[in-house]
Amino acid sequence: NAGVMQNPRHLVRRRGQEARLRCSPMKGHSHVYWYRQLPEEGLKFMVYLQKENIIDESGMPKERFSAEFPKEGPSILRIQQVVRGDSAAYFCASSPGGRGEQYFGPGTRLTVT
Amino acid sequence: GENVEQHPSTLSVQEGDSAVIKCTYSDSASNYFPWYKQELGKRPQLIIDIRSNVGEKKDQRIAVTLNKTAKHFSLHITETQPEDSAVYFCAASTGTASKLTFGTGTRLQVTL
């Protein structure tokens, strides 16, 4: 059973460009969460999605950030007009929904130059 | 919202000794408490979890205890080994499919 997949693993963007991060949940999991981890810090919740629905986006910055989980394909976290402060590791996690355990992907390390 | 505090921030133990990491939470509605281990540059890995209807759970050298009244929970690692060296995060959530609120992490170093 393949684990949570994320790509790209590393992404370099110049200030003002767009970043697209992809997450494929574990087979059978319909719940996806995105977290951000700044260097030497803990993980901060950003958004929780189920297929075609955003359930909780209370941790998402109001501007420039958006997320989706379409009926087909991976979940995507999109950051428009990136700034240096967006540099971080972005992890997604998936859950079967019924038991609560969240399993993390390997993360995408975004560097904004 | 939920706030999770974690102590200590760093912990150094000798191989074979025990390590204890403590967390407190603020939201009495929280009912699920997982612990994650994160090695440098790697993904957080779920190592053990506990739900609010249980006071203690063990898995080989790892155990977690929960005190709902005091709103704190702890991770205990016995007979530590060098491969236990990592950053450990506690977390809390209020439902089976809701977001996790993480503590700030404990860097555990097991020395020979």
Side-chain angles (χ1 to χ4, degrees):
Chain A
N1 186 11
V4 179
M5 309 283 283
Q6 287 188 252
N7 68 80
R9 297 290 306 277
H10 300 274
L11 182 61
V12 179
R13 284 287 178 265
R14 291 197 177 127
R15 278 179 298 171
Q17 291 185 319
E18 179 180 289
R20 283 192 180 221
L21 289 62
R22 295 175 186 78
C23 169
S24 296
M26 287 177 71
K27 189 176 180 182
H29 287 192
S30 58
H31 299 245
V32 167
Y33 308 79
W34 286 92
Y35 295 86
R36 178 163 62 177
Q37 186 174 37
L38 294 170
E40 303 296 318
E41 292 190 14
L43 296 111
K44 302 289 186 188
F45 167 77
M46 299 181 73
V47 63
Y48 161 36
L49 310 102
Q50 294 181 28
K51 285 285 187 183
E52 300 184 279
N53 284 303
I54 296 174
I55 308 301
D56 181 356
E57 57 181 348
S58 59
M60 194 87 109
K62 293 287 185 281
E63 298 178 352
R64 303 187 298 108
F65 286 72
S66 62
E68 63 176 4
F69 190 12
K71 189 176 179 182
E72 301 289 339
S75 175
I76 295 175
L77 179 68
R78 182 180 176 209
I79 311 172
Q80 295 179 289
Q81 299 174 344
V82 297
V83 301
R84 289 234 172 99
D86 296 332
S87 295
Y90 292 82
F91 289 95
C92 83
S94 74
S95 167
R99 300 199 319 262
E101 298 101 337
Q102 293 184 23
Y103 298 94
F104 281 79
T108 294
R109 279 147 187 86
L110 172 66
T111 302
V112 179
T113 61
Chain B
E2 175 68 281
N3 182 50
V4 177
E5 295 190 356
Q6 183 172 348
H7 301 280
S9 57
T10 60
L11 180 59
S12 182
V13 300
Q14 285 198 321
E15 184 180 7
D17 288 349
S18 295
V20 180
I21 302 170
K22 299 183 180 182
C23 290
T24 60
Y25 61 98
S26 61
D27 190 343
S28 56
S30 288
N31 57 14
Y32 175 64
F33 307 92
W35 286 87
Y36 287 84
K37 174 185 180 182
Q38 188 178 30
E39 296 176 29
L40 189 62
K42 300 284 183 65
R43 74 184 75 194
Q45 180 185 359
L46 179 64
I47 56 171
I48 196 167
D49 57 13
I50 193 166
R51 300 178 190 277
S52 60
N53 58 345
V54 175
E56 182 175 358
K57 184 176 178 181
K58 262 186 162 180
D59 184 2
Q60 299 182 344
R61 296 186 297 109
I62 294 173
V64 57
T65 59
L66 171 64
N67 183 328
K68 285 174 58 180
T69 304
K71 294 199 197 117
H72 67 69
F73 56 113
S74 300
L75 177 72
H76 304 252
I77 306 174
T78 58
E79 300 172 22
T80 53
Q81 300 167 3
E83 51 264 40
D84 293 330
S85 296
V87 179
Y88 291 80
F89 292 98
C90 63
S93 83
T94 57
T96 54
S98 69
K99 66 185 180 188
L100 294 174
T101 299
F102 282 86
T104 47
T106 296
R107 185 176 301 277
L108 173 65
Q109 182 160 4
V110 180
T111 57
L112 297 172

